Amino acid sequence: MAEPIKELYILWTSEGLSCDGDTVSVTAAMQPTIEEVVLGIIPGLPKIKLFNKVLAYENADEFMAPFWKAKAGTLDAPFVLVVEGSIPNENVKHGGFWTGMASDPVTKQPIPINTWLDWLAPKAVAVIAVGTCATYGGIHGMAGNPTGAMGVADYLGWDFKSAAGLPIINIPGCPVHPDNFMETLTWLLRQVAGLNPIIPLDQELRPTWLFGKTIHEGCDRAGYYEQADFAENYNSPKCQVKVGCWGPVVNCNVTKRGWMNGIGGCPNVGGICIGCTMPGFPDRFMPFMDEPPGATVSATMLQPYGALIRRLRSMTNDTVNHEPKWRHNGPALTTGYNPHYPDALPVFAQLTGGNSHD
Ligand code: SF4
Ligand code: SF4
């Protein structure tokens, strides 16, 4: 990117196989809010023009205009393409189309989302896949689905590069965590403005600082896990691994971040982690609410250690819950104080009215 970008379109399509849940989720973002970015309140960011059908106030033609201009290469500023929803395989249908956006002006036929990706992705400054459907296929990509649904990288290729030479940026979650999306977008906007280095991504194209740790590592209930103190049902504050939590092996940060404005975060508030940010979601985590296979082994191995540690900690906890016995209002000092300067004692006794140590 030679010159910093001063103005930028965000063209956001949720016309993949989607429920629009990621857009709805992002409206709850706080760090920063979508309003702060769009209204230009954050210093240094390019001026943003956002086109998202759920948030749009334009009519259909006005809304589609920048998409058509982006296809024609006549948009007056560069654009970031945000894709929400999984991409169907249009090669496997017997007729019609799986999902599309707008109609062909000549044939009046709907234009598959795949065609829009073919047109726009290579011209975009960056392509962001938002939510687990767009990143890896998600629920639409489950075993047995008829659409051949896949993620954006499965469709465009995992080595795809945007017009600015950037890989696809995957921000998974079902739905995406609002602040995870806005924080990544802000990083990218600062990057194209020449203020940030290139976003660090892992091999699944996720921002490393957001997905580098497991849910378990940040969980409010991890202390219970370590002591092998497991919930028997969902009405418990204890570790939920035996009632279906996959947190120990899932890359996600919501236990540390909370969900909205720091509050919530699945296991923190009683929801088992079902691995919704993961490329293997949902099939590799089903059936939900059963004890995960690895958890049986680790929980069993923890039992003797956990029982011993709980007992020892209970004893120590009892000790530290009592004040030392020398704190009293008796006639003598019983702290065991040992003066290193006995010559100073008479002076001290004078000052304290004769109340020296024994
Ligand atoms: S509830 Fe889940 S994430 Fe939390 S400590 Fe237990 S296994 Fe780990
Ligand atoms: S804790 Fe688990 S279920 Fe909740 S958002 Fe993270 S990956 Fe999804």
Side-chain angles (χ1 to χ4, degrees), residues 213-237:
K213 299 278 185 248
T214 65
I215 270 296
H216 186 69
E217 287 168 308
C219 182
D220 278 2
R221 300 172 188 242
Y224 288 106
Y225 179 96
E226 189 235 359
Q227 296 180 175
D229 208 355
F230 302 119
E232 302 286 331
N233 56 53
Y234 298 102
N235 188 27
S236 166

Side-chain angles (χ1 to χ4, degrees), residues 297-318:
V297 178
S298 60
T300 305
M301 289 174 71
L302 263 179
Q303 290 290 359
Y305 164 84
L308 176 65
I309 288 295
R310 274 208 308 281
R311 184 160 175 73
L312 293 174
R313 283 181 182 161
S314 161
M315 290 160 62
T316 308
N317 176 252
D318 187 55

Side-chain angles (χ1 to χ4, degrees), residues 11-358:
L11 302 184
W12 183 323
T13 171
S14 58
E15 306 303 342
L17 301 169
S18 119
C19 66
D20 290 314
D22 302 300
T23 291
V24 174
S25 181
V26 168
T27 61
M30 301 295 290
Q31 293 175 330
T33 68
I34 199 161
E35 292 89 343
E36 286 168 338
V37 171
V38 170
L39 295 175
I41 290 171
I42 300 174
L45 298 192
K47 192 173 166 205
I48 297 301
K49 293 181 184 171
L50 170 68
F51 286 81
N52 169 306
K53 93 172 176 226
V54 180
L55 306 175
Y57 53 83
E58 301 90 354
N59 66 34
D61 288 340
E62 289 168 349
F63 173 75
M64 282 307 302
F67 289 86
W68 287 113
K69 285 184 181 168
K71 170 189 179 284
T74 56
L75 213 51
D76 57 359
F79 68 97
V80 169
L81 180 64
V82 178
V83 184
E84 177 174 355
S86 46
I87 311 305
N89 185 348
E90 293 289 350
N91 298 314
V92 300
K93 63 186 187 296
H94 299 297
F97 68 103
W98 292 120
T99 182
M101 182 168 77
S103 298
D104 184 296
V106 178
T107 66
K108 308 298 180 198
Q109 292 299 305
I111 301 169
I113 194 64
N114 309 49
T115 306
W116 280 105
L117 279 186
D118 296 342
W119 286 340
L120 300 189
K123 294 179 176 160
V125 167
V127 176
I128 301 178
V130 57
T132 301
C133 294
T135 50
Y136 308 123
I139 288 175
H140 308 280
M142 284 179 73
N145 81 81
T147 63
M150 64 194 104
V152 173
D154 299 319
Y155 180 74
L156 292 175
W158 281 81
D159 55 357
F160 169 88
K161 295 285 187 298
S162 69
L166 300 175
I168 295 163
I169 301 167
N170 280 339
I171 319 173
C174 190
V176 72
H177 186 286
D179 291 326
N180 281 352
F181 177 81
M182 288 305 298
E183 196 171 287
T184 306
L185 179 66
T186 306
W187 183 306
L188 177 68
L189 295 178
R190 286 179 57 84
Q191 181 182 319
V192 300
L195 298 173
N196 266 20
I198 292 174
I199 290 183
L201 302 175
D202 66 16
Q203 60 181 7
E204 303 300 328
L205 302 180
R206 300 170 291 205
T208 52
W209 78 95
L210 297 175
F211 293 95
K213 299 278 185 248
T214 65
I215 270 296
H216 186 69
E217 287 168 308
C219 182
D220 278 2
R221 300 172 188 242
Y224 288 106
Y225 179 96
E226 189 235 359
Q227 296 180 175
D229 208 355
F230 302 119
E232 302 286 331
N233 56 53
Y234 298 102
N235 188 27
S236 166
K238 297 180 179 177
C239 169
Q240 303 182 115
V241 74
K242 293 182 89 58
V243 290
C245 184
W246 281 82
V249 293
V250 168
N251 297 87
C252 176
N253 63 348
V254 312
T255 39
K256 283 198 172 166
R257 167 155 248 174
W259 192 264
M260 227 169 110
N261 205 14
I263 299 168
C266 307
N268 287 354
V269 287
I272 56 172
C273 172
I274 55 173
C276 80
T277 57
M278 301 296 276
F281 178 81
D283 301 75
R284 293 192 192 281
F285 299 91
M286 293 172 70
F288 299 140
M289 304 170 88
D290 276 9
E291 186 175 351
T296 311
V297 178
S298 60
T300 305
M301 289 174 71
L302 263 179
Q303 290 290 359
Y305 164 84
L308 176 65
I309 288 295
R310 274 208 308 281
R311 184 160 175 73
L312 293 174
R313 283 181 182 161
S314 161
M315 290 160 62
T316 308
N317 176 252
D318 187 55
T319 305
V320 296
N321 257 327
H322 290 90
E323 281 193 276
K325 61 181 184 312
W326 60 79
R327 294 186 194 154
H328 55 75
N329 194 25
L333 180 65
T334 55
T335 63
Y337 171 64
N338 181 15
H340 296 285
Y341 304 100
D343 294 347
L345 271 181
V347 179
F348 180 68
Q350 239 177 356
L351 288 174
T352 59
N355 187 16
S356 68
H357 83 293
D358 285 331

